[in-house]
Amino acid sequence: MNQQRKAVALISGGLDSMLAAKTVMEQGVHVEGINFFTGFCVEGHTHAIRDKDKAKPKRNNALWVAEQLGIKLHIVDVIEEYKNVLINPKHGYGAHLNPCLDCKIFMVNRAKRWLVENNFDFIITGEVIGQRPMSQRKNTMPIVAKQSGADDLLLRPLCAKNLPETLPEREGWVDREKLHDITGRSRKPQMAMAEQFGIDDYSQPAGGCCFLVDKFYTAKLVDLWQAQGTKDYELDDVMLLKVGRHIRPAPNFKLIVAREEGEGRFLQGYKKDYISLVSVSHNGPLVLLDGEPSAEDLFLAARITARFGQGREAEQVDVAILDKDGLERVVPVTPLPKAEIPKNWYI
Amino acid sequence: MIKETLNTRRLLCPLPVIRTQDKVKQLQPGDVLEVAGTDPGIMQDIPAWCRINGHKVLETRSGDHEYFIVLEVGT
Ligand code: SF4
């Protein structure tokens, strides 16, 4: 009897990777999913933080896809390793800070490592030639295969017929004739295939799979790097960029102002790591201060804090300033008038 | 009887799922693990992760912005 072959499928949570896995499963191959958490994935972080988003049903799409397919899913934390991909992408960035080609190479390479450790036979991705301008072009497909080290162990079931034969096809582990030849940006072939498989509920991320394609998010990341004077980050930085209003009145410090209660609760968790400010005479948001402020800066930060609370029109607001060691002092300030907060302070 | 506990407070999904996955790898079938967290997303994600990986959710509960899931490790 033929040995059942095993494939590891990169599952992003979108339709293409789901269809790719399904196509190969239909051929009797044992498939398990792998999903990489880079820190920038759009998986409900802001939903988890913001109260206003709580009403929306929230699910992790990769887990959901795996459940629909009836396969195991291995979620791998690659936060540390991913830093090098984002900070020094060999192939550069896309429209924002998205290093898509390096990212793909990295993920396929990690999948290859997983394959070796777990004794699997080949790798599946949902890539389609011409689907994405940076990472899914005809000439980038061999680059991903080669530079990831996966070479012909990498099968793209949705466009395999337009690519050279891979090992699983040559060995007869999968039948090339039953693979597909999708090209281009149209989603119609995928939607037809989904219908054929009886899949009617799937997520279709508009831009891409992560915050690195979001222009507002990446502007904050660029600002962080400029302020630090170096392109580096920790997971907490990445998380905090998703929360609150970010206001930079001077190069040496910025403020993160909670926009609502859920964000305030989330920012509370960071009070030991940052100076924090809150109005005590009136209701107002929790504000974190990131940087090294002078006494004057602190006074300005307190005035801005007062501006975002219910005392914004009051003559005087008392603002408590808590330093990282837990020492608190209360300063009376006049809220900064709206007109005195220039637009370019908002990051 | 709770044998093991895992604190994922302040972590946002999918990190609580990843920590649960890593912890379960060190346990034996039949062991019980209680996961505590502050991201309400764990109430969907950890049970989904359990279903696809053959573990059993024994209990879920929440209160005061905290969420708890008790699971039994499968084979
Ligand atoms: S959108 Fe983000 S996760 Fe997706 S390939 Fe590009 S950099 Fe990677």
Side-chain angles (χ1 to χ4, degrees):
Chain A
M1 202 180 101
N2 278 348
Q3 177 193 350
Q4 190 188 26
R5 292 294 166 174
K6 295 192 282 187
V8 58
L10 268 75
I11 298 290
S12 66
L15 179 60
D16 292 3
S17 55
M18 186 179 194
L19 293 173
K22 183 82 180 162
T23 300
V24 169
M25 288 167 72
E26 293 280 297
Q27 297 205 25
V29 173
H30 172 85
V31 176
E32 293 189 16
I34 194 163
N35 174 266
F36 298 105
F37 180 61
T38 62
F40 297 97
C41 310
V42 185
E43 278 303 351
H45 287 142
T46 43
H47 289 215
I49 299 164
R50 296 192 74 172
D51 282 342
K52 81 171 183 57
D53 290 330
K54 291 230 167 82
K56 287 186 201 160
K58 177 196 169 300
R59 69 180 184 204
N60 177 304
N61 283 317
L63 281 170
W64 185 84
V65 161
E67 194 168 10
Q68 298 310 300
L69 292 171
I71 62 172
K72 286 192 175 179
L73 180 74
H74 309 275
I75 309 180
V76 186
D77 170 353
V78 292
I79 297 165
E80 276 304 312
E81 293 165 73
Y82 196 75
K83 282 184 184 171
N84 191 39
V85 178
L86 174 56
I87 294 170
N88 304 305
K90 221 168 110 188
H91 299 280
Y93 298 107
H96 298 289
L97 275 182
N98 46 315
C100 291
L101 186 50
D102 291 84
C103 179
K104 274 272 145 61
I105 293 168
F106 168 80
M107 288 187 182
V108 174
N109 170 271
R110 273 308 254 107
K112 164 88 189 294
R113 245 165 74 189
W114 190 94
L115 168 146
V116 171
E117 286 161 13
N118 292 278
N119 227 352
F120 272 52
D121 299 299
F122 61 101
I123 302 164
I124 308 166
T125 69
E127 291 164 287
V128 167
I129 297 170
Q131 180 92 168
R132 296 214 188 272
M134 186 178 184
S135 59
Q136 299 189 28
R137 295 192 316 258
K138 182 132 194 171
N139 61 343
T140 60
M141 294 276 167
I143 297 178
V144 174
K146 192 160 178 37
Q147 295 188 4
S148 65
D151 293 311
D152 66 355
L153 293 181
L154 175 59
L155 178 72
R156 286 99 163 195
L158 300 187
C159 61
K161 282 182 171 166
N162 295 324
L163 292 168
E165 254 190 344
T166 57
L167 187 77
E169 295 160 278
R170 277 202 308 281
E171 293 291 323
W173 303 341
V174 294
D175 179 353
R176 183 172 169 93
E177 280 315 302
K178 292 185 184 147
L179 302 176
H180 306 284
D181 58 359
I182 305 177
T183 53
R185 305 195 71 157
S186 162
R187 307 289 300 153
K188 280 193 189 138
Q190 285 93 321
M191 282 150 109
M193 205 188 293
E195 203 181 320
Q196 216 181 332
F197 284 137
I199 302 167
D200 56 5
D201 179 12
Y202 44 84
S203 113
Q204 298 234 59
C209 14
C210 74
F211 275 104
L212 298 173
V213 292
D214 180 303
K215 86 170 179 212
F216 300 105
Y217 184 86
T218 48
K220 289 183 203 149
L221 186 53
V222 169
D223 169 79
L224 178 84
W225 285 346
Q226 270 167 0
Q228 289 178 164
T230 148
K231 271 167 108 183
D232 198 4
Y233 60 90
E234 296 302 326
L235 180 64
D236 280 340
D237 298 325
V238 169
M239 294 296 159
L240 283 172
L241 295 183
K242 295 173 189 166
V243 187
R245 272 189 196 92
H246 289 233
I247 300 171
R248 182 175 295 285
N252 59 319
F253 79 102
K254 78 165 176 182
L255 302 173
I256 306 172
V257 184
R259 287 170 295 192
E260 40 95 287
E261 222 186 301
E263 289 193 338
R265 247 192 330 271
F266 183 76
L267 294 182
Q268 285 281 348
Y270 289 89
K271 275 166 80 175
K272 275 202 208 85
D273 309 311
Y274 295 87
I275 295 171
S276 60
L277 302 96
V278 68
S279 155
V280 285
S281 55
H282 300 75
N283 278 339
L286 178 66
V287 176
L288 296 186
L289 187 153
D290 182 16
E292 299 297 333
S294 64
E296 240 170 71
D297 295 334
L298 270 181
F299 189 69
L300 176 62
R303 293 189 69 199
I304 296 172
T305 301
R307 163 86 234 150
F308 286 98
Q310 285 175 5
R312 62 179 68 88
E313 304 299 339
E315 269 181 25
Q316 184 184 306
V317 171
D318 294 334
V319 174
I321 305 176
L322 184 70
D323 69 21
K324 292 181 214 168
D325 301 324
L327 288 176
E328 188 184 273
R329 64 199 165 99
V330 175
V331 289
V333 295
T334 317
L336 196 68
K338 195 176 175 193
E340 287 182 37
I341 305 185
K343 277 216 170 72
N344 65 2
W345 283 10
Y346 289 91
I347 311 164
Chain B
M1 184 193 67
I2 305 296
K3 277 193 176 163
E4 293 279 347
T5 56
L6 177 68
N7 178 3
T8 71
R9 290 178 185 88
R10 276 183 64 187
L11 296 181
L12 299 177
C13 281
L15 281 172
V17 183
I18 297 176
R19 300 287 180 265
T20 303
Q21 174 188 270
D22 295 347
K23 181 83 188 172
V24 163
K25 266 189 207 147
Q26 303 161 8
L27 301 178
Q28 301 298 321
D31 284 352
V32 171
L33 173 69
E34 179 176 271
V35 184
T38 44
D39 179 352
I42 68 171
M43 299 298 261
Q44 279 84 46
D45 291 357
I46 293 180
W49 178 82
C50 285
R51 286 194 298 275
I52 60 180
N53 289 291
H55 311 296
K56 192 165 149 196
V57 175
L58 301 178
E59 187 195 338
T60 59
R61 57 178 206 281
S62 62
D64 200 18
H65 301 295
E66 295 211 331
Y67 305 87
F68 300 87
I69 292 161
V70 183
L71 64 92
E72 184 184 314
V73 179
T75 43

